[in-house]
Amino acid sequence: MPTQDHPETPNNELTEFENSVFYYDSRRAGGGKTRDIVSAVGRRAERGQKCLIVQPTTGLIDETFDNLKKQYPSIIVRKFHSEDGQGGYVSLRVMRYFNNADLDGAVVLITHRTLINPPFFYHKDRWSVYFDESPNVFEAFSENLSIKHGLITDHVRTMDATSAYSRLEVTSRSEMAKMAQNQGQDTIIGHVQDLAKILLSEHYDSYVNIAKFEALKSKTSNDGILSVFSILKPSILSGFHRVTISAALFEETFVFHQWSQAGVTWKNSRELTRDNNCNTHSYNPSITIYYGYEARYSKYLRNKLGGDDTPIIAAAVKKLGRERYVRVENNDVKLESPLTKLIGDNLIPGISHGLNRYRDVHHAAVIISANQTPEASKFLREYCGFDDDKQFRAFTDHSVYQAICRTSIRDNDLGHDKTWIVASKDTADWLHGIFPGSRVESLGLVQPEKQKVGRKRTHNSDNERKNASKKRSRAELSLASGFANNIDSSYLERVSYLNGDELAIKDISHFVARFRGSFFKNYFSTDPFVILKTQDQFITYLRNQSKNVYTSKNEIPCVSGALFDVNKSNATNRGEDNVELVRGMWIDIEKGTMKHEDVSRLFPYLRFVAYNTFNHTRDRQRFRIYIPTNRVMMDSEYRIIHKEIVYVLEKDGYRSERLSD
């Protein structure tokens, strides 16, 4: 039975974080998050409490620092970042301060990255942490290390190998630490230096696809790429007096999803002032959102259409003309883009939180692909339960939203028409839902040709199809006759049929040819009913049965591919000794991340049926695969074929608990 353990957080981690309570403030961009954080920490510091503000950019830290000093001149305010003019390693300066922190109330400002780097905070329980914007809790490393992969692979081992993905454990911390420090500034080691730091951190869990990882080590990899996916654990914030994250549309972020699975309980923050005007954007009919493509934008699509000179860029040039606008494009094309030649172009960083100097600009062109790599996306989907829609929303749509909110919409300007250009219709429609009164229009581009789906027609006419069906029936009957010789004709007199299926039976050969399975009224039943149908009739039968709803697993009827003779054994009615023959292959998929799409990928030329079994959910999928066969088979044949199927699945990284009967 090919299975994979469910990707949710391991039990020991659930125990570790199930009592953790974090607070969050989820409101619109421009809703005054930073202002309210300043007020909250200022009041706390005046009462002698210590607060840590964690922000995404150095510019935002400088601005917040100035506001705190102005509004609360009596409190101690300190900032630490790479451009604060103090020199030296920021993390060391932060640790030194925390180990000798001011006795009275104080506010300290650092970046997200700085919080993750220091190995030790003295008396964390004295500090309340306020995140301004969501922390990044997912890191994906992907490099071609076909020759030098030993820099990493020689010093780690795989753990928890019950899934297609395995957690990595460092086996030689001293060697890994040398790479993390890279004192000789070696260029090659520089490629893995950040990964080495993550692997050494107790606050990250890092994973690899087992099959690809082992192929790389054994020099049988097709591409030589080492892919490592790392997740920051809530433990990074364990021990602080209070943790609050304030971020636009926070419930849609990966950190909210992943840390919820890890056992964190999220509560709305009552401390940060909020009202209805902060939560949603006001009605504004001055906005027109233009989109380029019906399909979701990706680097693959962009490069296919022309790279930095795609049709959408030409359309944006024409639409924006001489108007001032803010622009975000991917780093690999932004400096060569034709948009750079426009007089009103204002290129802003991809991470633009807190950037307020463009509030007099009304237009925006945010044409980005912020998708994860295919391998990283697959990991997020299969191991973390963060599907493609959630990924597109969290990584692409949120980035577009933040960039657009650098413009005059931040103050809900109503006096000027606003033109926003985005890549995908999905993004445009999502923005339309957030900004009431806006309009969505297409740029009128020629759409990329969609890949045709569905099976190709195999017959030129209906008559040809019917003749082929008759030919298959004759062949099936011929194949069945050999098995029929092994069954006593008296068997037909004692068998129980399901739903009058016996009416189509003429003799034992017809019986064997039309046999599809045995039906039991429930899990404990020992009296089988025989299902006799054509293949298409049987598939329709399975489809109809899958629509039934049951409240208890024991109530569910059972279908087996085996034909049982209850007289063949005195010990049981449906054991191995009772099996006469088997029809079709039956495989249960449960306790893991495998989806029916994965079966289709691994067996692209096999026709199969997939239907859910008891306790199936979207996040914890449980289903059964039925693969039709053109004839019945002996039990020994069935087991050999079943083992081959399991072998292919295990070769792709899945794991089998046991072989099903």
Side-chain angles (χ1 to χ4, degrees):
M1 184 183 300
T3 67
Q4 283 184 276
D5 281 353
H6 187 247
E8 291 183 357
T9 314
N11 289 335
N12 62 331
E13 197 169 69
L14 282 172
T15 302
E16 183 179 355
F17 302 120
E18 64 184 355
N19 294 321
S20 298
V21 176
F22 293 170
Y23 296 87
Y24 75 98
D25 171 39
S26 181
R27 64 175 85 178
R28 65 175 175 84
K33 297 187 303 298
T34 306
R35 176 197 63 207
D36 291 341
I37 290 174
V38 166
S39 298
V41 301
R43 292 192 298 267
R44 282 182 176 268
E46 286 180 330
R47 297 196 298 268
Q49 299 179 28
K50 300 183 183 299
C51 299
L52 179 66
I53 300 179
V54 189
Q55 297 182 305
T57 64
T58 59
L60 185 55
I61 287 177
D62 291 340
E63 183 179 314
T64 305
F65 177 84
D66 292 341
N67 288 337
L68 274 164
K69 296 288 288 183
K70 181 178 180 181
Q71 295 180 42
Y72 299 93
S74 63
I75 67 174
I76 297 171
V77 184
R78 298 180 181 273
K79 63 179 179 178
F80 298 91
H81 62 70
S82 59
E83 299 174 16
D84 59 12
Q86 299 301 311
Y89 290 104
V90 176
S91 59
L92 294 179
R93 289 194 283 121
V94 170
M95 275 197 303
R96 192 178 302 119
Y97 172 78
F98 272 89
N99 292 339
N100 301 278
D102 303 284
L103 296 177
D104 298 325
V107 179
V108 173
L109 297 99
I110 61 174
T111 63
H112 289 188
R113 177 56 62 183
T114 300
L115 178 69
I116 296 171
N117 284 337
F120 179 72
F121 275 99
Y122 182 69
H123 276 307
K124 292 172 69 175
D125 59 319
R126 297 179 181 177
W127 293 83
S128 294
V129 180
Y130 293 81
F131 271 89
D132 192 352
E133 302 301 343
S134 298
N136 178 29
V137 302
F138 180 66
E139 298 284 352
F141 174 91
S142 184
E143 289 278 351
N144 188 331
L145 296 177
S146 56
I147 298 176
K148 294 293 184 178
H149 65 80
L151 290 171
I152 296 296
T153 58
D154 287 352
H155 308 301
V156 296
R157 63 177 178 178
T158 55
M159 305 288 290
D160 311 326
T162 54
S163 149
Y165 297 95
S166 173
R167 183 171 58 86
L168 288 180
E169 180 180 75
V170 177
T171 56
S172 177
R173 298 190 67 84
S174 59
E175 292 299 319
M176 193 67 71
K178 291 178 182 178
M179 284 183 287
Q181 295 167 5
N182 193 15
Q183 293 181 347
Q185 298 298 302
D186 187 290
T187 302
I188 295 177
I189 294 178
H191 286 291
V192 299
Q193 183 176 2
D194 287 341
L195 174 60
K197 292 178 181 178
I198 289 175
L199 291 172
L200 286 170
S201 173
E202 63 179 329
H203 300 303
Y204 276 99
D205 276 338
S206 297
Y207 300 86
V208 292
N209 180 287
I210 299 173
K212 293 182 179 296
F213 184 75
E214 295 299 332
L216 183 65
K217 290 176 62 178
S218 62
K219 300 181 180 180
T220 59
S221 171
N222 293 327
D223 52 22
I225 292 177
L226 173 64
S227 294
V228 182
F229 314 113
S230 303
I231 297 175
L232 182 66
K233 298 185 292 185
S235 61
I236 190 70
L237 299 176
S238 294
F240 283 108
H241 176 68
R242 180 185 175 99
V243 175
T244 304
I245 300 179
S246 184
L249 311 173
F250 180 65
E251 295 95 332
E252 296 180 349
T253 63
F254 179 64
V255 61
F256 183 87
H257 166 89
Q258 186 62 27
W259 284 5
S260 295
Q261 286 195 349
V264 169
T265 297
W266 296 101
K267 291 187 177 181
N268 281 306
S269 172
R270 296 183 179 179
E271 180 183 34
L272 300 183
T273 305
R274 295 175 52 168
D275 55 42
N276 290 334
N277 290 332
C278 293
N279 296 336
T280 58
H281 291 276
S282 302
Y283 181 83
N284 193 323
S286 67
I287 304 166
T288 303
I289 308 168
Y290 291 94
Y291 70 88
Y293 301 104
E294 301 284 340
R296 289 177 175 174
Y297 205 54
S298 64
K299 286 187 176 180
Y300 173 80
L301 176 60
R302 182 199 69 188
N303 295 338
K304 181 180 178 181
L305 294 172
D308 60 356
D309 194 17
T310 59
I312 190 175
I313 299 299
V317 169
K318 184 176 181 180
K319 182 68 66 177
L320 293 168
R322 301 179 64 84
E323 300 285 353
R324 291 183 66 210
Y325 65 96
V326 299
R327 172 172 63 97
V328 179
E329 290 187 79
N330 289 99
N331 290 335
D332 58 339
V333 296
K334 66 183 182 182
L335 298 181
E336 303 297 327
S337 173
L339 286 167
T340 61
K341 300 177 182 179
L342 295 186
I343 191 172
D345 182 56
N346 290 278
L347 180 65
I348 65 174
I351 300 177
S352 56
H353 305 80
L355 189 63
N356 294 319
R357 63 176 178 270
Y358 295 105
R359 298 171 94 137
D360 61 334
V361 176
H362 310 300
H363 311 295
V366 187
I367 305 169
I368 59 171
S369 168
N371 307 328
Q372 299 290 334
T373 65
E375 282 296 318
S377 179
K378 182 181 179 183
F379 171 79
L380 290 169
R381 179 173 60 252
E382 295 184 353
Y383 197 85
C384 302
F386 204 59
D387 63 33
D388 292 343
D389 291 338
K390 292 176 181 177
Q391 290 180 44
F392 191 78
R393 185 77 70 244
F395 301 128
T396 296
D397 288 346
H398 278 216
S399 297
V400 174
Y401 174 66
Q402 286 293 340
I404 282 174
C405 285
R406 302 309 105 200
T407 67
S408 61
I409 194 61
R410 194 171 186 83
D411 302 314
N412 195 40
D413 174 84
L414 291 165
H416 302 84
D417 289 337
K418 297 167 186 60
T419 295
W420 299 344
I421 300 174
V422 299
S424 305
K425 187 177 187 298
D426 272 5
T427 301
D429 290 341
W430 180 73
L431 290 171
H432 172 65
I434 292 176
F435 294 95
S438 62
R439 298 177 303 282
V440 172
E441 294 187 17
S442 170
L443 287 170
L445 305 180
V446 175
Q447 298 298 309
E449 184 177 352
K450 293 183 179 180
Q451 185 176 355
K452 294 182 179 180
V453 297
R455 291 189 298 164
K456 295 181 179 179
R457 184 182 178 94
T458 56
H459 303 291
N460 296 324
S461 66
D462 287 342
N463 285 335
E464 185 177 327
R465 176 180 57 80
K466 292 176 182 178
N467 290 333
S469 177
K470 293 178 181 178
K471 186 177 181 179
R472 284 196 304 272
S473 297
R474 289 193 294 269
E476 191 173 12
L477 188 61
S478 176
L479 290 170
S481 60
F483 287 86
N485 293 332
N486 297 324
I487 301 177
D488 193 297
S489 58
S490 63
Y491 179 81
L492 298 183
E493 299 175 3
R494 60 180 184 269
V495 72
S496 298
Y497 298 92
L498 185 69
N499 299 330
D501 285 350
E502 71 275 15
L503 297 178
I505 301 304
K506 299 176 182 178
D507 54 33
I508 192 70
S509 294
H510 280 83
F511 174 89
V512 173
R514 292 177 70 89
F515 172 77
R516 290 298 180 274
S518 296
F519 174 93
F520 296 87
K521 290 183 178 180
N522 56 55
Y523 181 79
F524 300 103
S525 175
T526 58
D527 299 319
F529 291 80
V530 172
I531 303 174
L532 303 176
K533 299 181 183 297
T534 66
Q535 196 65 267
D536 289 340
Q537 288 172 344
F538 183 58
I539 291 174
T540 300
Y541 166 79
L542 292 177
R543 180 186 298 113
N544 293 336
Q545 291 296 310
S546 71
K547 297 176 183 178
N548 295 333
V549 178
Y550 300 91
T551 58
S552 170
K553 184 175 182 178
N554 294 337
E555 298 176 0
I556 304 175
C558 300
V559 175
S560 169
L563 175 66
F564 298 96
D565 186 346
V566 298
N567 291 342
K568 291 186 68 174
S569 171
N570 295 325
T572 179
N573 284 3
R574 62 176 196 182
E576 292 182 15
D577 293 338
N578 300 107
V579 176
E580 285 281 7
L581 47 84
V582 185
R583 185 67 180 259
M585 303 302 305
W586 300 78
I587 303 173
D588 284 335
I589 310 295
E590 57 186 17
K591 298 181 181 179
T593 60
M594 190 190 301
K595 298 182 180 180
H596 66 84
E597 293 94 335
D598 298 310
V599 181
S600 179
R601 171 176 56 83
L602 294 170
F603 301 98
Y605 302 109
L606 281 185
R607 182 191 185 193
F608 68 86
V609 173
Y611 60 93
N612 65 289
T613 53
F614 197 70
N615 282 337
H616 167 88
T617 65
R618 176 173 292 184
D619 294 330
R620 191 184 181 100
Q621 297 199 7
R622 302 169 67 98
F623 59 96
R624 179 164 296 155
I625 293 291
Y626 167 64
I627 305 173
T629 56
N630 66 345
R631 66 166 174 85
V632 296
M633 65 195 104
M634 303 302 294
D635 182 55
S636 57
E637 291 181 282
Y638 176 89
R639 292 180 181 276
I640 291 172
I641 297 173
H642 193 285
K643 287 181 180 179
E644 287 298 312
I645 294 173
V646 171
Y647 170 77
V648 173
L649 296 175
E650 289 187 334
K651 189 177 179 182
D652 198 56
Y654 296 95
R655 292 294 177 265
S656 174
E657 286 188 347
R658 62 180 176 84
L659 289 179
S660 63
D661 293 336

